Amino acid sequence: MTEAAATAEALPVSPVEVAPEHDLFAKFDALIAEREALMATGVRDPFAIVMDEVKSPTQAIIKGKETILLGTYNYMGMTFDPDVIAAGKAALDTFGAGTTGSRVLNGTYSPHKDCEDALKEFYGTEHAMVFSTGYQANLGIISTIAGKGEYIILDADSHASIYDGCALGNAEVVRFRHNSVEDLDKRLGRLPKEPGKLVVLEGVYSMLGDIAPLPEMVAVAKKHGAMVLVDEAHGMGFFGPNGRGVYEEQGVADDVDFVVGTFSKSVGTVGGFCVSNHPKFDVMRLVCRPYVFTASLPPSVVATAATSIRKLMHAGEKRAHLWRNSRRLHGGLKDMGYTLGTDTPQSAIIAVILKDQTQAVALWQSLLEGGLYVNMARPPATPAGTYLLRCSLCAEHSAEQVETILAMFQAAGHAVGALA
Ligand SMILES: Cc1ncc(COP(=O)(O)O)c(C=O)c1O
């Protein structure tokens, strides 16, 4: 033990006394009680899993057990790609561990520009801006583009980062019913004509794995004079001939003003971005606070991202395999009698909907004990009252692994009473 650690251990650790009526933590009491009641039943905490060793995009050791990973966003399996890893190591050696600065000061290194070039090549756009996370890309772009007296119109099931982007800015916020073209039209129709409007959509909605009817939605937005932003976090890599996302697959690229995405899913590392052909887009680098007032990504991260993005341009075979996996898993689970988030396989996400939290945690734990990790999801991440296990497939899952996964779901479902 170091001298500092010994001193720290000797310090008193009793909490500061606060009167209950002044305790700012009192508002969390209901949540704490709910969690404690659940843990008291003896289940493992679905939100405290530790990966002790990660052997490949589809396999890890969790608590000493060889486990198949079916709950990562590693859709294209790029985390262990040898070229991606080599690019990261080379940048680490050449540029060091981090930039210690904002993109607008000392934090733009040549790998950041190269990464933005890779995005421009991938998306075929004039402009690309890299943020430190996808969360920050939404936070920054949404809060900055739509200002006071203007409107943001968003799907009720939007990701937290979209809601938080609205909360950070000063625009009026209007929600429409999830994936309802009619409701979007109605709500846009009620707004005054003159102010600027931004309609925010997602290609794939990540909790249920359903996709947006973008041609209809974009047409309605344009009819009302709104600009359109599509978040392709879960669509990048395997939708569309070039893997750009659902907006490419559905043929609306010419009418989408901004595409936001992340490096934390198909790209296989961390970071976020926005691409656009808007001629004035680069002014964002001066006015977008979540871009300006934070440190830029380490050069090794943007170098891995750039290499991965360029490889994803030529990943047609991987895309096809991922779709085969998605169809097989969806069909197999449906045939067993599980209720799924979508009637047909629409993306690499297959959501298994359970009766309540107790059943969801029981199935989650039984699968984990059998050697399968999936995501447990609950409100507020999911729509109200919805408890689900989210399965996200990877292009590196073999056909045999998918059969093993199905057998695990069958056994666990019967063991916990989720299947009749
Ligand atoms: C739709 C959507 N947008 C943005 C993000 C944020 O991405 P990141 O993990 O890079 O912050 C996520 C993350 O899950 C997401 O699902």
Side-chain angles (χ1 to χ4, degrees):
M1 192 185 291
T2 63
E3 199 181 317
T7 316
E9 209 168 77
L11 289 174
V13 288
S14 53
V16 178
E17 283 208 12
V18 186
E21 66 275 21
H22 294 140
D23 187 355
L24 296 169
F25 274 63
K27 56 183 163 289
F28 306 122
D29 285 351
L31 177 63
I32 292 168
E34 185 199 312
R35 260 177 77 77
E36 281 174 355
L38 184 67
M39 293 301 113
T41 65
V43 295
R44 273 174 70 179
D45 185 348
F47 305 115
I49 284 294
V50 177
M51 307 273 165
D52 296 321
E53 199 185 321
V54 180
K55 299 184 126 183
S56 76
T58 65
Q59 278 177 305
I61 306 286
I62 299 175
K63 277 217 167 165
K65 186 164 181 67
E66 185 90 41
T67 304
I68 298 179
L69 298 174
L70 188 66
T72 77
Y73 298 129
N74 200 358
Y75 300 121
M76 299 296 280
M78 299 305 281
T79 49
F80 282 85
D81 182 279
D83 297 327
V84 168
I85 290 177
K89 283 182 176 164
L92 191 59
D93 286 341
T94 310
F95 294 97
T99 67
T100 73
S102 159
R103 283 294 306 273
V104 297
L105 295 174
N106 59 306
T108 295
Y109 290 12
S110 60
H112 295 87
K113 295 311 280 179
D114 183 54
C115 186
E116 287 173 344
D117 287 345
L119 281 167
K120 287 190 253 178
E121 290 159 29
F122 186 88
Y123 281 99
T125 53
E126 286 292 311
H127 305 284
M129 201 169 149
V130 167
F131 290 76
S132 297
T133 63
Y135 178 88
Q136 279 166 280
N138 270 333
L139 208 59
I141 294 292
I142 293 171
S143 65
T144 312
I145 287 181
K148 198 167 166 53
E150 296 168 336
Y151 288 88
I152 298 169
I153 304 92
L154 79 166
D155 187 292
D157 283 6
S158 291
H159 187 259
S161 57
I162 294 174
Y163 274 105
D164 293 357
C166 295
L168 185 67
N170 298 308
E172 298 292 327
V173 179
V174 177
R175 288 194 302 174
F176 62 91
R177 217 167 45 248
H178 176 54
N179 268 351
S180 169
V181 178
E182 202 191 345
D183 199 33
L184 172 63
D185 193 21
K186 194 169 83 189
R187 290 185 191 262
L188 276 166
R190 285 185 192 151
L191 300 179
K193 292 219 166 355
E194 293 72 32
K197 300 175 189 75
L198 178 69
V199 170
V200 181
L201 305 167
E202 291 179 39
V204 177
Y205 285 87
S206 66
M207 282 301 150
L208 298 179
D210 54 338
I211 58 172
L214 290 180
E216 294 82 358
M217 298 217 143
V218 172
V220 164
K222 293 288 150 181
K223 180 179 90 180
H224 292 281
M227 294 181 114
V228 175
L229 180 154
V230 180
D231 180 334
E232 287 286 359
H234 297 270
M236 182 186 188
F238 56 97
F239 280 90
N242 297 296
R244 290 175 185 160
V246 178
Y247 83 105
E248 182 191 28
E249 173 131 323
Q250 296 188 353
V252 292
D254 289 344
D255 288 319
V256 169
D257 300 272
F258 312 100
V259 174
V260 164
T262 171
F263 300 157
S264 73
K265 308 192 194 306
S266 285
V267 177
T269 177
V270 69
F273 64 88
C274 182
V275 295
S276 176
N277 281 323
H278 194 292
K280 299 178 191 166
F281 187 70
D282 255 358
V283 75
M284 283 288 127
R285 293 190 198 271
L286 302 177
V287 292
C288 183
R289 295 168 68 91
Y291 176 82
V292 174
F293 293 102
T294 194
S296 62
L297 286 166
S300 54
V301 169
V302 276
T304 58
T307 305
S308 178
I309 290 162
R310 290 193 172 106
K311 289 194 87 167
L312 288 178
M313 285 191 232
H314 313 287
E317 188 33 53
K318 274 192 163 196
R319 281 195 259 290
H321 182 66
L322 183 54
W323 279 112
R324 279 195 292 278
N325 282 348
S326 171
R327 282 192 291 271
R328 174 67 188 123
L329 186 65
H330 188 283
L333 291 172
K334 196 171 164 179
D335 288 348
M336 279 175 210
Y338 279 110
T339 304
L340 304 181
T342 56
D343 227 27
T344 52
Q346 292 190 14
S347 68
I349 299 167
I350 293 160
V352 178
I353 306 202
L354 283 314
K355 187 168 74 169
D356 52 27
Q357 172 154 255
T358 310
Q359 190 182 63
V361 176
L363 183 59
W364 173 85
Q365 172 147 322
S366 178
L367 288 168
L368 189 64
E369 281 164 4
L372 179 66
Y373 173 77
V374 297
N375 291 151
M376 152 84 200
R378 50 157 290 161
T382 55
T386 307
Y387 294 86
L388 57 86
L389 299 190
R390 182 172 56 174
C391 308
S392 19
L393 285 150
C394 173
E396 296 290 323
H397 280 125
S398 65
E400 296 71 42
Q401 276 178 316
V402 176
E403 295 310 315
T404 307
I405 291 167
L406 282 169
M408 288 167 158
F409 261 101
Q410 178 117 46
H414 286 298
V416 304
L419 287 178

